[in-house]
Amino acid sequence: MIAQRATTFTESVIREMTRIAQQHGAINLAQGFPDFPMPAPMKDAACAAVQGDINQYAITWGAPALRLAIAEKYRRWYGMEVDPDRDITVTCGATEAMAATFLALVNPGDEVIVLEPFYENYGPDAILADAKPVFVPLEAPKWTLDPDRLRAAFGARTKAIIVNTPHNPSGRVLSRDELSLIAELCQAHNAWAFTDEIYEHIRYAGAHHALATWPGMRERTVTISGLSKTFSCTGWRLGYAIAPAAASTAIRKVHDFLTVGAPAPLQAAAAVGMAFDADYYNHLARDYRERRDLLCSALGEAGFAYTAPEGAYYVLADFSALSDQDDDAFAKWMTREIGVATVPGSSFYHEPALGRSLVRFAFCKKRQTLEAAAERLAQLAARV
Ligand code: GLN
């Protein structure tokens, strides 16, 4: 009684680990959501919007004030001219933006290049669109991209590449040269770039470059991002896709029939956040650097091997010096016995063996949460 497409992928391992963490009362460093408050002015704006009776559908592709705020932000930050009336679709999270983009722009049988390890949603996105993912490794320990392997992955059937930088789960921030190569290959093969820039403001090294600003890329890039990570509001489910008008028309149609629209009062409040000045972003990055350093030193002392992330809020750590178990068994054991939940590395690979000795830690947590996790991790070597 179940459609074949729904049998070809599993439930999200990330969200499953959150449930397992709750069962065992473990500190949840698995799913990437902050345990600290979002900015007060946005909360106040959301309350005001509800009290002000903004309770009915917004325009399907996004409330005008939010689209205007998004366009202004892209002009300010990236020098990118975005037409708020034609180029933007506001969605239920970047997750829906990516799924709607696949459904709107990718045909059955098309190939989509995915850099591996990869955020688990891209696999099901490809399956739902009947596309064929083609994986290109980011190679451990530094998670570097081999230009020759990337070149070799592009071909006549390539429809798109997913460009997620800062990268989940590795923490890599792709360099200008790497993005230039991606731009060159997209143009040579008439392919789209679907970017996932949700961690654009969470960086410890390097700058964030929007691929759409490369010469010749604007017309073949769908720029996807959202508010979840930048404003610590993953539960608000607000994301967007910025694309050339013709592609936006297709994305908007898919979005309309999937969800109609993102929550109207939260869209009103989101416009307030999009207008924050550089000070907000500087603080965000500085606070994340402290959290990163705290977790990284705890992981080093506990016996994990890792490369410190350049961006995003995860550490993909190798535990082979600590245990011979596979990633799934190790992550579940650590949740149960040590009280720290992580995500098994195999969920970021198409071939589970590739992630067999890796677990992903999220550090988007309060200092106290990370300190408590560090204390628990200090027991690990003696307990394995
Ligand atoms: N992007 C976050 C992560 O990788 C949250 C995923 C989710 O559950 N939507 O953990």
Side-chain angles (χ1 to χ4, degrees):
M1 300 295 278
I2 305 292
Q4 207 254 329
R5 74 174 74 82
T7 64
T8 49
F9 53 92
T10 59
E11 74 161 322
S12 156
V13 179
I14 297 176
R15 297 183 273 287
E16 182 194 9
M17 287 308 295
T18 285
R19 282 202 304 281
I20 296 177
Q22 282 164 356
Q23 268 164 28
H24 294 283
I27 298 171
N28 186 359
L29 302 189
Q31 193 176 12
F33 63 86
D35 68 348
F36 44 83
M38 68 178 298
M42 294 175 74
K43 292 198 283 191
D44 293 343
C47 293
V50 171
Q51 294 295 353
D53 294 322
I54 303 185
N55 300 318
Q56 310 309 328
Y57 304 121
I59 291 174
T60 292
W61 46 87
L66 177 55
R67 280 184 283 117
L68 195 60
I70 293 170
E72 275 171 7
K73 187 183 163 200
Y74 276 77
R75 180 178 311 122
R76 207 163 61 239
W77 278 85
Y78 303 120
M80 198 168 139
E81 288 301 322
V82 175
D83 180 344
D85 292 327
R86 291 153 52 95
D87 299 346
I88 301 175
T89 309
V90 174
T91 54
C92 297
T95 294
E96 195 221 340
M98 185 62 82
T101 298
F102 262 85
L103 293 171
L105 304 184
V106 176
N107 276 313
D110 284 348
E111 292 183 358
V112 177
I113 296 174
V114 178
L115 307 182
E116 185 177 54
F118 59 90
Y119 175 49
E120 58 175 8
N121 279 36
Y122 309 144
D125 283 343
I127 291 169
L128 291 173
D130 253 332
K132 181 173 176 281
V134 172
F135 299 99
V136 176
L138 289 171
E139 284 163 37
K142 300 276 184 206
W143 311 111
T144 42
L145 182 58
D146 178 341
D148 294 332
R149 293 183 83 155
L150 184 64
R151 244 177 238 290
F154 273 84
R157 278 196 292 274
T158 306
K159 186 58 169 275
I161 177 170
I162 298 179
V163 183
N164 169 217
T165 182
H167 185 254
N168 174 10
S170 74
R172 249 328 289 291
V173 172
L174 293 179
S175 67
R176 251 188 177 286
D177 286 351
E178 286 166 324
L179 290 170
S180 295
L181 176 62
I182 292 170
E184 176 201 316
L185 292 169
C186 283
Q187 290 174 66
H189 295 273
N190 193 25
W192 284 100
F194 302 158
T195 71
D196 179 347
E197 305 183 36
I198 193 85
Y199 302 100
E200 61 196 302
H201 293 292
I202 302 176
R203 277 180 291 100
Y204 321 103
H208 180 72
H209 305 290
L211 187 58
T213 61
W214 255 250
M217 286 306 286
R218 185 58 198 284
E219 57 266 36
R220 54 179 64 259
T221 301
V222 181
T223 302
I224 294 174
S225 193
L227 283 84
S228 298
K229 318 295 183 181
T230 301
F231 300 111
S232 311
C233 57
T234 62
W236 278 26
R237 311 308 306 127
L238 286 177
Y240 49 85
I242 301 173
S248 286
T249 301
I251 294 167
R252 287 173 171 190
K253 278 194 292 187
V254 173
H255 159 71
D256 187 7
F257 288 105
L258 284 176
T259 63
V260 180
L266 302 184
Q267 290 194 49
V272 171
M274 295 303 287
F276 286 168
D277 62 18
D279 197 45
Y280 174 78
Y281 296 94
N282 291 338
H283 276 91
L284 180 79
R286 195 200 59 201
D287 291 348
Y288 267 111
R289 178 181 294 276
E290 278 177 22
R291 297 180 188 114
R292 177 191 75 151
D293 293 349
L294 205 163
L295 179 70
C296 283
S297 72
L299 292 181
E301 280 165 29
F304 290 91
Y306 63 88
T307 294
E310 299 168 328
Y313 51 48
Y314 308 101
V315 181
L316 194 55
D318 187 308
F319 60 84
S320 44
L322 287 162
S323 168
D324 291 334
Q325 294 183 84
D326 72 22
D327 59 311
D328 200 52
F330 181 76
K332 287 187 176 142
W333 172 84
M334 199 162 71
T335 308
R336 219 172 40 238
E337 302 296 329
I338 304 295
V340 177
T342 58
V343 179
S346 56
S347 62
F348 304 104
Y349 288 91
H350 77 288
E351 183 58 68
L354 295 169
R356 193 192 180 281
S357 62
L358 299 171
V359 284
R360 189 196 73 173
F361 291 83
F363 56 86
C364 43
K365 305 294 166 184
K366 294 191 278 246
R367 167 170 276 277
Q368 301 93 290
T369 309
L370 294 172
E371 282 170 350
E375 262 173 45
R376 294 181 184 193
L377 290 169
Q379 322 280 317
L380 204 150
R383 303 266 312 269
V384 273

